[in-house]
Amino acid sequence: MRSYAEYCAIAKSLDVVGDRWTLLIVRELALRGACRYTDLRNGLPGIASNLLAERLRDLEGAGVVVREEAPPPVATTLFRLTPRGEELRPVLDDLMRWGLPLMADQAPDDAIRSHWLAAALELMLTDLQPDESPVTVELRTGDQPIAIELGDGAIEIKLGPVESPDAILAGPPRSVLGLLVGMLELADAEAQGVSFEGDPAVLRRFYGAGTRISRTVA
Amino acid sequence: MRSYAEYCAIAKSLDVVGDRWTLLIVRELALRGACRYTDLRNGLPGIASNLLAERLRDLEGAGVVVREEAPPPVATTLFRLTPRGEELRPVLDDLMRWGLPLMADQAPDDAIRSHWLAAALELMLTDLQPDESPVTVELRTGDQPIAIELGDGAIEIKLGPVESPDAILAGPPRSVLGLLVGMLELADAEAQGVSFEGDPAVLRRFYGAGTRISRTVA
DNA sequence: CTGGATCCGCCGCGATACTG
DNA sequence: CAGTATCGCGGCGGATCCAG
């Protein structure tokens, strides 16, 4: 993209990361750590291969990304954020926070990746009953399961299955999120295709976290 | 721009504000408050008129901007951020912070507006000697003077001239910023075309604020 | 199979002219 | 003052091809 040619910090930032796809590439590296070219393609459905290569070159030139050759036996090239690139996390966090209300509209052709959902949940969820016993929930939505672990007032969200979950939640992402966040009652969520196994009381641990979001939606 | 078609909060944010020029329009409204179409053109040098009109329509449709008809005698249309638009300020702040090191390179054809500089200074400057007596400085760089008022440990930065400043600083923006931020000694700044009137001790009030920035520059 | 490069069609953007 | 109209170009999308 052409430079804005403005002596302004915001414009100069956008000169670096304002191109189409660029911030989403940074998002992938921030959420998933070092990635192979193929991993990035998978996390950026629809990107043209030449664009991904070009953006990675540009980001490398700007000092945001480094390319490193993994040693044998893997022997593949990895892309990783530099410290300067890591400093973009606040920008990503704010953009994610601002975009949370927009998760209310899930377009039929929206691609879905569980690590995007996990990042959103990390911003939204709080344990409303931190004194209760620890609880684990497995989410089955997106391209891989998500593990939620409540305990000691903290919430941990990881990718991957849960050993013996106290509850299992499956269904369309929008409805699963809506239920967790308290915008949807269990009955409504189930009407939208959500299946819930376990003790419904577990959901109360999250309820209300979403009222703050709901208020944001115009 | 085409939608990214990803069920991800960041991607959905960028679907709204990721177009070229869009965030800079929001910047203008955030920094200067309600603006006329002409004010926006002035604050966005180089933007095509049709693009500005189209972006404003889009932003209005997204609930980020409202158009309001000013009552007579002015009788002009004003554009203003909605509350939802105001919530983009954290994004702008982080982008500005991330871009501060890039202010080190001022391209010859970079447009300059004092309100961009004022915003950057607001992020960078701290009063290192809050117990000293109040001090006012007038900056003459960009398209209008900038007033800096130190007192009670707080810094106020406004646009416009200062009544009877304790110091006057004029010259190229990069050097004026560099001096204030402590990356440049007075002698070096003067060699770069900065003129300084007043007590040089005033500069010590700011010195060091920029070491944090300097460290950021790779 | 990974990590690209190349080509082409198209649309978003840039620049300028024009208008109620 | 607040836009609309037009046209040319370059960035992007989509597909295919290629080297290690």
Side-chain angles (χ1 to χ4, degrees):
Chain A
M1 183 157 49
R2 286 243 316 246
S3 164
Y4 286 111
E6 292 183 358
Y7 192 63
C8 159
I10 297 177
K12 289 202 173 283
S13 288
L14 293 178
D15 280 344
V16 177
V17 297
D19 271 318
R20 185 160 166 82
W21 291 110
T22 304
L23 263 182
L24 294 187
I25 294 173
V26 176
R27 172 200 68 188
E28 285 302 303
L29 295 172
L31 293 185
R32 314 216 304 186
C35 285
R36 298 176 304 171
Y37 190 86
T38 312
D39 300 329
L40 289 172
R41 289 194 74 161
N42 177 275
L44 300 163
I47 195 175
S49 177
N50 56 350
L51 276 192
L52 177 54
E54 182 182 335
R55 295 290 184 266
L56 285 171
R57 268 196 307 271
D58 295 346
L59 285 173
E60 203 183 349
V64 174
V65 162
V66 276
R67 178 187 316 248
E68 50 191 37
E69 301 298 328
V74 268
T76 177
T77 54
L78 288 179
F79 298 89
R80 178 192 305 276
L81 289 181
T82 64
R84 174 75 175 148
E86 294 285 348
E87 287 173 18
L88 281 168
R89 282 184 189 275
V91 176
L92 295 176
D93 282 350
D94 289 337
L95 274 174
M96 180 143 41
R97 227 179 294 275
W98 195 81
L100 286 180
L102 304 174
M103 301 289 272
D105 20 276
Q106 177 186 0
D109 59 344
D110 274 353
I112 300 168
R113 295 294 181 275
S114 292
H115 63 281
W116 305 338
L117 306 175
L121 287 171
E122 205 140 0
L123 277 188
M124 290 191 290
L125 294 186
T126 341
D127 187 351
L128 291 183
Q129 304 166 3
D131 299 329
E132 297 291 319
S133 54
V135 157
T136 60
V137 181
E138 178 170 311
L139 264 42
R140 294 181 184 161
T141 186
D143 58 341
Q144 59 181 310
I146 299 174
I148 306 183
E149 301 177 12
L150 290 185
D152 295 326
I155 295 200
E156 283 225 15
I157 298 178
K158 308 172 191 169
L159 295 176
V162 179
E163 292 251 349
S164 49
D166 299 299
I168 298 179
L169 208 50
R174 195 211 115 111
S175 305
V176 171
L177 254 59
L179 177 58
L180 283 174
V181 139
M183 295 180 61
L184 240 47
E185 293 298 325
L186 179 51
D188 299 327
E190 283 176 331
Q192 294 179 17
V194 170
S195 90
F196 182 87
E197 287 177 43
D199 180 5
V202 166
L203 290 174
R204 302 286 164 189
R205 296 288 284 263
F206 305 109
Y207 267 10
T211 58
R212 154 182 104 245
I213 309 294
S214 322
R215 254 183 285 113
T216 310
V217 196
Chain B
M1 185 157 47
R2 287 240 320 243
S3 164
Y4 286 110
E6 294 183 357
Y7 192 62
C8 160
I10 297 178
K12 288 200 173 287
S13 288
L14 293 178
D15 281 344
V16 177
V17 298
D19 272 320
R20 185 160 165 82
W21 291 109
T22 304
L23 263 182
L24 294 186
I25 294 173
V26 176
R27 173 201 67 187
E28 285 302 302
L29 295 172
L31 292 185
R32 313 214 305 186
C35 285
R36 298 174 304 170
Y37 190 86
T38 311
D39 301 329
L40 289 172
R41 289 194 74 162
N42 178 275
L44 300 163
I47 194 175
S49 179
N50 56 349
L51 276 192
L52 178 54
E54 183 182 335
R55 295 291 184 265
L56 285 170
R57 265 196 308 271
D58 295 345
L59 285 172
E60 203 182 351
V64 173
V65 161
V66 275
R67 179 186 317 246
E68 50 192 35
E69 301 296 328
V74 269
T76 178
T77 54
L78 287 179
F79 299 89
R80 180 192 305 276
L81 289 181
T82 64
R84 173 76 174 145
E86 294 284 349
E87 287 174 18
L88 282 168
R89 282 184 187 276
V91 176
L92 295 177
D93 282 350
D94 288 339
L95 274 175
M96 180 142 42
R97 229 178 294 275
W98 195 81
L100 286 181
L102 304 174
M103 300 289 272
D105 20 275
Q106 176 186 359
D109 59 344
D110 275 355
I112 300 167
R113 295 294 182 273
S114 291
H115 62 281
W116 304 339
L117 305 175
L121 287 171
E122 205 139 1
L123 278 188
M124 291 191 290
L125 295 186
T126 342
D127 188 351
L128 291 183
Q129 305 167 3
D131 299 330
E132 298 291 318
S133 55
V135 157
T136 60
V137 181
E138 178 171 311
L139 264 42
R140 294 183 185 160
T141 186
D143 58 340
Q144 58 181 310
I146 299 175
I148 307 183
E149 301 177 11
L150 290 184
D152 295 328
I155 294 200
E156 283 225 15
I157 298 179
K158 308 173 190 167
L159 296 175
V162 181
E163 292 251 349
S164 49
D166 299 298
I168 298 179
L169 208 49
R174 194 210 116 111
S175 305
V176 170
L177 254 59
L179 178 59
L180 283 175
V181 139
M183 296 181 61
L184 240 49
E185 295 297 327
L186 179 51
D188 300 326
E190 284 177 331
Q192 294 179 18
V194 170
S195 89
F196 181 86
E197 287 177 43
D199 180 6
V202 166
L203 291 175
R204 303 285 163 187
R205 296 289 282 265
F206 306 109
Y207 268 11
T211 59
R212 154 181 106 248
I213 308 295
S214 322
R215 255 183 283 113
T216 311
V217 195

